[in-house]
Amino acid sequence: MRVMILIKATGDTEAGVMPGKALMDEMGRFNGELVKAGVLLDGEGLHPSSRGARVRFQGKDRTVVDGPFAETKELIAGYWLWQVRSLDEAIEWVKRCPNPTGEWGEAEIRPLLEPEDFGPDLAPGLREQEACLRAQVDARP
Amino acid sequence: MRDPSTGVHRAIDAVWRMESARLVAGLVRLVRDVGLAEELAQDALVAALEQWPGAGIPHNPGAWLMAAAKHRAIDQVRRARMMERKHGEMAREREALEEAAVEMRDAALDDPIGDDLLRLMFIACHPVLAPEARVALTLRLLGGLSTEEIARAFLVPVPTVAQRIVRAKQALAEARAPFEAPRGPEFRARIDSVRGVIYLIFNEGYATTSGADWTRPALCEEALRLGRILAELAPGEAESHGLAALMEIQASRLRARTGPGGEPILLPDQDRGAWDGLLIRRGLAALDRAERLGGVRGPYTLQAAIAACHARARTAGDTDWGRIAELYRELARRAPSPIVELNRAVALGMAHGPAAGLEAVDALRSEPSLQAYHLLPTVRGDLLHKLGRMAEARAEFERAAALTRNGRERTLLLERSAACGIPDRC
């Protein structure tokens, strides 16, 4: 199964404070372990929300809100994508992750929706739609 | 908060999956016996199951398990030594055991570069073992899968797998298989055997994936994991990166290659939007790594390069068939096989027209190993169909339908054969 690990923001990450060398080294070592265990698929750190924006949907309306956003602990500072054999394995790996700030920190683990999760009902519909499109393309002179 | 009682057991299970390979690998180095190493590791697991629910999961569970297993190993050696004294056995053997006990106390069991793990892969894929024994032992020792899980994945009875594993361990002991990683040409041959086993596991999951059976995709994932690990254990081995690349790219198509009823969807008809972009990027990166290491491109790297041609094409029509035909020619030189030639014929047909493809296929018609292979008449039928030789095409599709053992494929072929009878269908 694949899981996404969401690293929650802190005051520092939101202030754009770059991690120190010691933390970078520790994280590098941890990432190396993940790679050698065949776990790490992808991952990146994110800029603070002050450099981002949100688009709100209300019916047909769209409103753009520029960052920064207030609720720091609900924001995301980085993510990983892992391939693990169970949620418990993901939890064990996260527990081994160096504490990003030395103080408060939180990582959220969320399994990815895989095609199987959509159930057999959705897939055939999509397929039919696609087959129909293809027939139209084929029918062109 | 999670329920602590079930939480601990699930955590132990997860820790076991994560640590068992390294545990067994380190123990094999000490006790030089795969069976004994596995027993010691299992004993450590039992100790964890007894102690962790009460005492909590230790800070470094891997080190805890290794320490527990080591204690048991030392106990075993002591007991064996006492038995020997009683029986007045040979002094030389006793010395060896004492040495082992000292080594066990002193050995730093941390293995930061993963040599132990690589060694364990070499042992599990030893040439004295039959391929199915290598597969079972690899999944058991390196994947941490239980006998039941292996049996379920391969649709084989549990006792069969259990026996396979017991016999494999015996065979290793009888062959006095060395526990050191070989060097030079022997290294090359052995790491090739490891790659072969990993690809075998991958194909077992890939070839029959139906979506209904969860164990099969899990086999693909396990093979991918082992392949990624192997590539990192010996990063200078271009072919290991090639194998990883091949599996990543093939796995990227898993969700596009079967229809809702489980029927196979061939590459040109697949919905490319359903291909997994992340796995493609990872595959292309691994291929790049393999090619940058240079040297002669091996069969996995070449197959990955072919898979990459498909992955890079935005539509089936964009496929660089000329390059694919070239790559098949190189593959045929590196690893000659009639199947590769048949694939090359398909590529030639796509690159230079059906007549060129047919010429290449016809050169294979007398090939004895392809006589019962349904894809030969399938490919021939397809090319004849494109040339408008409908009656011949129809006969080939019928022949192919009679040869295939896959019911869904037979249906597809009979449909194609029937379509040859209606010339104005399109």
Side-chain angles (χ1 to χ4, degrees):
Chain A
M1 71 187 290
R2 290 193 283 187
V3 292
M4 180 166 258
I5 316 299
L6 302 164
I7 305 292
K8 295 297 179 69
T10 64
D12 271 1
T13 64
E14 272 300 279
V17 178
M18 293 303 278
K21 190 182 178 305
L23 178 60
M24 289 293 276
D25 288 351
E26 257 190 282
M27 283 306 245
R29 251 196 308 280
F30 182 62
N31 273 319
E33 262 184 69
L34 292 171
V35 169
K36 281 196 170 155
V39 167
L40 183 62
L41 296 179
D42 199 8
E44 299 291 348
L46 304 180
H47 277 297
S49 70
S50 58
R51 295 184 61 171
R54 282 177 177 172
V55 179
R56 282 193 191 134
F57 295 78
Q58 181 73 56
K60 288 193 158 101
D61 291 337
R62 308 284 184 268
T63 317
V64 178
V65 185
D66 285 325
F69 306 113
E71 59 287 13
T72 302
K73 286 186 180 183
E74 299 304 318
L75 298 174
I76 292 157
Y79 72 91
W80 273 306
L81 213 52
W82 291 351
Q83 181 120 42
V84 289
R85 284 169 290 198
S86 63
L87 178 64
D88 296 279
E89 189 181 321
I91 293 170
E92 285 308 311
W93 276 113
V94 172
K95 279 160 70 181
R96 295 174 191 194
C97 175
N99 185 340
T101 60
E103 289 174 31
W104 187 90
E106 192 172 87
E108 186 173 318
I109 308 167
R110 301 276 298 273
L112 263 65
L113 270 173
E114 303 284 358
E116 309 79 89
D117 296 315
F118 289 100
D121 297 337
L122 185 61
L126 286 175
R127 299 246 174 257
E128 275 160 32
Q129 194 184 5
E130 215 223 6
C132 182
L133 277 173
R134 196 178 304 135
Q136 284 170 15
V137 172
D138 290 347
R140 272 186 226 150
Chain B
M1 290 286 279
R2 329 184 75 208
D3 173 10
S5 59
T6 60
V8 171
H9 278 101
R10 280 168 46 190
I12 294 172
D13 193 47
V15 167
W16 174 250
R17 282 282 168 96
M18 293 162 74
E19 302 292 345
S20 67
R22 275 207 293 192
L23 198 57
V24 173
L27 289 165
V28 163
R29 174 151 59 88
L30 292 183
V31 300
R32 317 219 139 223
D33 178 326
V34 175
L36 179 58
E38 220 203 336
E39 265 171 48
L40 292 165
Q42 293 277 352
D43 286 349
L45 172 66
V46 171
L49 284 165
E50 283 166 2
Q51 295 178 35
W52 293 2
I57 295 174
H59 188 62
N60 187 342
W64 191 100
L65 285 168
M66 184 55 97
K70 233 166 78 176
H71 281 132
R72 269 151 219 265
I74 291 169
D75 280 352
Q76 282 244 353
V77 172
R78 279 205 195 111
R79 225 174 300 140
R81 204 162 21 168
M82 267 164 53
M83 291 279 281
E84 263 171 50
R85 279 205 191 112
K86 271 187 203 155
H87 297 296
E89 294 244 320
M90 279 162 47
R92 219 166 61 85
E93 207 162 318
R94 188 161 69 223
E95 264 169 45
L97 280 163
E98 274 166 16
E99 242 169 66
V102 171
E103 195 191 341
M104 254 177 253
R105 274 196 302 274
D106 301 343
L109 277 164
D110 299 327
D111 175 35
I113 48 168
D115 276 356
D116 282 347
L117 218 49
L118 189 59
R119 229 177 339 241
L120 188 63
M121 282 190 174
F122 279 168
I123 293 168
C125 299
H126 197 279
V128 297
L129 305 174
E132 64 269 22
R134 294 182 204 176
V135 165
L137 211 53
T138 298
L139 286 173
R140 170 72 177 240
L141 297 180
L142 289 141
L145 267 70
S146 69
T147 308
E148 289 75 18
E149 284 170 316
I150 299 170
R152 199 160 8 121
F154 284 87
L155 312 171
V156 192
V158 173
T160 309
V161 174
Q163 209 171 38
R164 229 174 247 173
I165 290 170
V166 169
R167 284 209 190 123
K169 287 180 196 164
Q170 272 169 2
L172 285 174
E174 277 161 22
R176 299 186 169 274
F179 291 103
E180 304 309 325
R183 291 173 187 282
E186 171 82 352
F187 177 89
R188 193 107 306 152
R190 292 286 286 282
I191 198 165
D192 229 27
S193 160
V194 175
R195 286 190 284 254
V197 165
I198 293 174
Y199 196 48
L200 213 62
I201 295 170
F202 181 82
N203 269 324
E204 189 64 28
Y206 190 72
T208 50
T209 296
S210 65
D213 197 343
W214 64 270
T215 54
R216 297 308 180 96
L219 269 185
C220 280
E221 281 188 12
E222 189 60 35
L224 263 168
R225 197 179 64 84
L226 290 170
R228 288 171 188 147
I229 292 173
L230 181 66
E232 294 306 322
L233 287 179
E237 278 285 310
E239 261 293 79
S240 298
H241 296 294
L243 171 64
L246 177 61
M247 293 194 296
E248 303 265 16
I249 298 176
Q250 283 184 331
S252 77
R253 297 181 201 138
L254 263 175
R255 54 180 133 171
R257 60 198 288 278
T258 42
E263 70 279 9
I265 300 177
L266 301 177
L267 197 82
D269 301 325
Q270 285 174 12
D271 171 9
R272 284 171 196 238
W275 287 359
D276 187 317
L278 173 66
L279 291 184
I280 290 178
R281 281 199 302 284
R282 291 181 52 85
L284 294 179
L287 177 61
D288 189 47
R289 236 173 129 182
E291 287 181 333
R292 265 187 294 131
L293 280 166
V296 178
R297 287 194 283 191
Y300 294 115
T301 306
L302 286 167
Q303 289 177 80
I306 292 164
C309 285
H310 293 296
R312 286 192 187 105
R314 253 182 234 176
T315 66
D318 289 342
T319 312
D320 187 349
W321 286 105
R323 181 166 161 69
I324 292 176
E326 278 303 303
L327 287 164
Y328 271 122
R329 197 166 65 153
E330 198 179 331
L331 182 59
R333 271 204 306 269
R334 197 69 41 230
S337 112
I339 308 264
V340 171
E341 288 296 344
L342 186 60
N343 283 319
R344 190 166 85 89
V346 173
L348 283 171
M350 296 300 288
H352 309 299
L358 192 63
E359 197 187 320
V361 175
D362 284 349
L364 291 167
R365 281 177 88 187
S366 56
E367 173 62 46
S369 64
L370 292 182
Q371 289 314 304
Y373 188 54
H374 68 281
L375 284 182
L376 180 69
T378 306
V379 168
R380 224 178 152 257
D382 188 53
L383 292 163
L384 288 164
H385 183 267
K386 282 180 183 154
L387 288 166
R389 290 157 65 177
M390 293 301 178
E392 288 166 88
R394 182 184 190 130
E396 289 290 22
F397 285 135
E398 271 165 18
R399 208 156 73 84
L403 285 173
T404 183
R405 275 175 290 175
N406 183 312
R408 286 182 178 127
E409 203 160 16
R410 186 175 307 121
T411 310
L412 197 75
L413 285 162
L414 289 174
E415 275 169 22
R416 295 200 70 183
S417 142
C420 291
I422 318 164
D424 59 347
R425 179 178 175 256
C426 305

